[in-house]
Amino acid sequence: MTKRDHFGSKIGFILAAAGSAIGLGAIWKFPYMAGTNGGSVFLILFIISTLLIGLPILLAEFIIGRRGQADPVTSLKKQAPGKPWYLIGWSGLIFSAIILSFYSVVGGWILSYLVRSLFFKLEGGSDNYFSELFGSIIQNPWEVIIAQGAFMFLTIWIVQGGIKGGIERASKWMMPLLFVFFIALVIRSLTLDGAIDGLKFLFVPDWSYFTGKTILLALGQAFFSLSVGVAVMITYASYLSKEEKLGSSALNVALMNIGVSILAGLVIFPAVFALGYTPDQGPGLVFIILPAVFEQIPFGAFFMIIFFILLLFATLTSSISMLEIAVSIGIRSKYNRRRKASWVYGLIIFLVGIPSALSFGVLSDFHILGMTFFDFADFITSSFGLPLGALFISIFAGYKLTKLELSNELMLGDSLFNAWYLIVRYAAPLAIIVIFVQGIIKVFM
């Protein structure tokens, strides 16, 4: 039996946790959510939600994980023996696997676009070219399954290398490259004629969008983008030494997530406005609008390659964290089984994701509650898994653990600790319940 792995440095942990948080939530989902919900108003509400609600729950997951020094199930059994709190770990495993099953489908789409861009096959011939291309890709059963499989292969290959040798090493070079690439794209986008309109959209508030719906969507985006609620951060924090300060680590993760979200907006919105498009294109903003935008920019083919490499990096840093939950629970204390567990669980998740991959083609007529496999997997995790997981985590930290136990882990000043404690006990559960109820109403009413 080999010794349990740990992160080799604080920066390695922060980059891995930030990579899990950033992913598609910041680069793919944030721009289209902001584009359809008022731009700057959504950004302001997203930042407030992240710092006041998402960050405290993220910190609660760090505390639970670092105290347990084990996988989420074992960790919660240690801290609440004889109680059913360990079910939070099992639910995290189930919902993270479901997320990864359809997340890997989007990762496959990114690989399809990246390969085409590398061979300069993303050149439009008509106004509807990129829309038709996207449709042809997601409807092609062989391409989507092969691309999904390739993405899962990359994810498994990283995770089977362990914490230091796989996840931390990959995060240490992928995350800095992500920031460098983004800054290059931001500079190019801001130098376009008419880019100022995109900056106004992102930073000058139009308060007519300040509605209850926008507040709820921004709060939901904060949870989604921070990866809270599915035990990802419990798992990562379990590999953290007792000497590291959790407060500063959690704050750095939250700030990096906000920073990348803003950078994504600075890449997309100035270019969209400069070239005469509208920002309210929904989920197709990245796959349909952006290629069309890049095509009209000098050296656009080169910048398109950079963008899809960047998007692949961000997606992988999230996918490896979700597979790590299954691996950590599967191997428990038998750490020499990591390689085998990574491939077994990765293959199972790949197979579970095939119906989602085929949802836009051969299985497009099969629906659950009026939704395709892909949409249902997204709904069941976003509307049930994430909020319920975050709710029980906040309740566990706020009511099961004592103030002394929490204070010893956080090592914050009295005023900061008391503010965090009040949020975790009262404000966060209330906000999560509101999101949960709103999600239910959206489907069944």
Side-chain angles (χ1 to χ4, degrees):
M1 183 182 298
T2 58
K3 185 179 178 182
R4 191 170 197 267
D5 209 351
H6 279 80
F7 283 103
S9 63
K10 180 177 180 179
I11 188 62
F13 166 72
I14 291 173
L15 290 175
S20 172
I22 290 168
L24 289 178
I27 301 176
W28 171 60
K29 192 170 184 179
F30 173 80
Y32 85 73
M33 291 293 290
T36 54
N37 293 283
S40 60
V41 171
F42 184 86
L43 173 61
I44 292 169
L45 294 173
F46 165 71
I47 292 173
I48 293 172
S49 299
T50 298
L51 296 178
L52 295 186
I53 305 296
L55 175 58
I57 297 176
L58 175 66
L59 196 49
E61 290 207 25
F62 280 2
I63 291 171
I64 295 168
R66 211 258 299 271
R67 288 187 83 241
Q69 291 289 296
D71 65 89
V73 173
T74 304
S75 179
L76 288 159
K77 283 184 176 180
K78 284 182 180 180
Q79 297 174 67
K83 304 294 183 180
W85 289 104
Y86 67 90
L87 294 175
I88 295 174
W90 285 115
S91 68
L93 166 63
I94 293 169
F95 286 114
S96 63
I98 295 173
I99 291 172
L100 183 53
S101 73
F102 73 85
Y103 202 91
S104 60
V105 175
V106 182
W109 297 347
I110 295 167
L111 280 175
S112 290
Y113 271 77
L114 177 58
V115 170
R116 282 177 169 82
S117 65
L118 287 171
F119 289 94
F120 301 102
K121 297 295 185 180
L122 287 178
E123 299 177 358
S126 66
D127 292 341
N128 297 321
Y129 172 78
F130 291 106
S131 177
E132 293 170 355
L133 173 65
F134 184 61
S136 68
I137 289 174
I138 64 176
Q139 292 172 27
N140 185 326
W142 290 110
E143 178 166 359
V144 291
I145 291 176
I146 291 171
Q148 178 204 4
F151 180 83
M152 281 303 301
F153 173 83
L154 292 173
T155 302
I156 296 166
W157 181 72
I158 295 171
V159 172
Q160 58 94 32
I163 299 302
K164 286 183 184 177
I167 295 172
E168 183 174 0
R169 180 183 296 175
S171 298
K172 276 187 173 180
W173 68 264
M174 283 196 290
M175 290 304 294
L177 280 175
L178 185 150
F179 279 99
V180 170
F181 282 170
F182 249 135
I183 290 171
L185 289 173
V186 167
I187 292 172
R188 185 66 193 94
S189 184
L190 292 178
T191 56
L192 295 172
D193 293 335
I196 189 66
D197 291 331
L199 291 177
K200 290 179 180 178
F201 178 77
L202 189 60
F203 295 118
V204 179
D206 178 355
W207 294 110
S208 65
Y209 285 95
F210 185 73
T211 64
K213 177 185 175 183
T214 307
I215 294 172
L216 290 173
L217 289 173
L219 191 54
Q221 174 65 19
F223 286 147
F224 184 88
S225 62
L226 281 177
S227 297
V228 295
V230 287
V232 166
M233 297 307 181
I234 293 178
T235 305
Y236 270 11
S238 73
Y239 299 113
L240 195 61
S241 71
K242 294 288 186 180
E243 288 72 33
E244 302 296 348
K245 292 183 178 180
L246 297 181
S248 60
S249 296
L251 180 61
N252 283 325
V253 170
L255 292 177
M256 289 176 71
N257 184 48
I258 292 171
V260 171
S261 297
I262 293 174
L263 287 175
L266 288 173
V267 170
I268 291 172
F269 294 124
V272 167
F273 277 89
L275 296 172
Y277 293 94
T278 58
D280 56 346
Q281 301 296 317
L285 190 65
V286 167
F287 293 104
I288 297 174
I289 301 299
L290 268 189
V293 168
F294 282 128
E295 189 181 38
Q296 300 182 47
I297 297 174
F299 305 106
F302 170 73
F303 285 105
M304 195 183 304
I305 292 172
I306 292 179
F307 178 79
F308 282 112
I309 291 175
L310 178 155
L311 192 57
L312 178 63
F313 284 175
T315 309
L316 279 171
T317 54
S318 291
S319 66
I320 59 179
S321 70
M322 287 181 276
L323 180 57
E324 177 61 24
I325 298 175
V327 172
S328 68
I329 293 175
I331 63 176
R332 300 294 176 90
S333 59
K334 300 175 182 178
Y335 309 122
N336 59 327
R337 296 186 179 181
R338 165 174 285 275
R339 187 183 300 272
K340 179 180 179 181
S342 299
W343 288 101
V344 169
Y345 290 117
L347 177 60
I348 292 172
I349 292 172
F350 163 70
L351 294 174
V352 170
I354 288 177
S356 291
L358 299 177
S359 291
F360 305 93
V362 296
L363 294 180
S364 60
D365 293 330
F366 187 91
H367 293 85
I368 304 173
L369 297 177
M371 293 175 277
T372 64
F373 271 109
F374 184 98
D375 292 335
F376 181 74
D378 188 8
F379 165 74
I380 201 72
T381 52
S382 298
S383 298
F384 285 90
L386 289 172
L388 286 180
L391 176 63
F392 287 117
I393 286 166
S394 64
I395 292 174
F396 181 85
Y399 293 92
K400 178 60 181 175
L401 300 180
T402 67
K403 289 188 74 172
L404 180 59
E405 289 172 327
L406 295 169
S407 179
N408 288 339
E409 287 290 334
L410 286 183
M411 295 181 290
L412 296 174
D414 289 342
S415 58
L416 281 176
F417 174 79
N418 288 330
W420 171 82
Y421 189 66
L422 288 173
I423 290 173
V424 167
R425 279 177 68 93
Y426 304 110
L430 179 60
I432 295 166
I433 290 171
V434 170
I435 291 176
F436 179 75
V437 172
Q438 187 262 349
I440 300 300
I441 292 173
K442 183 173 65 175
V443 172
F444 296 105
M445 299 297 289

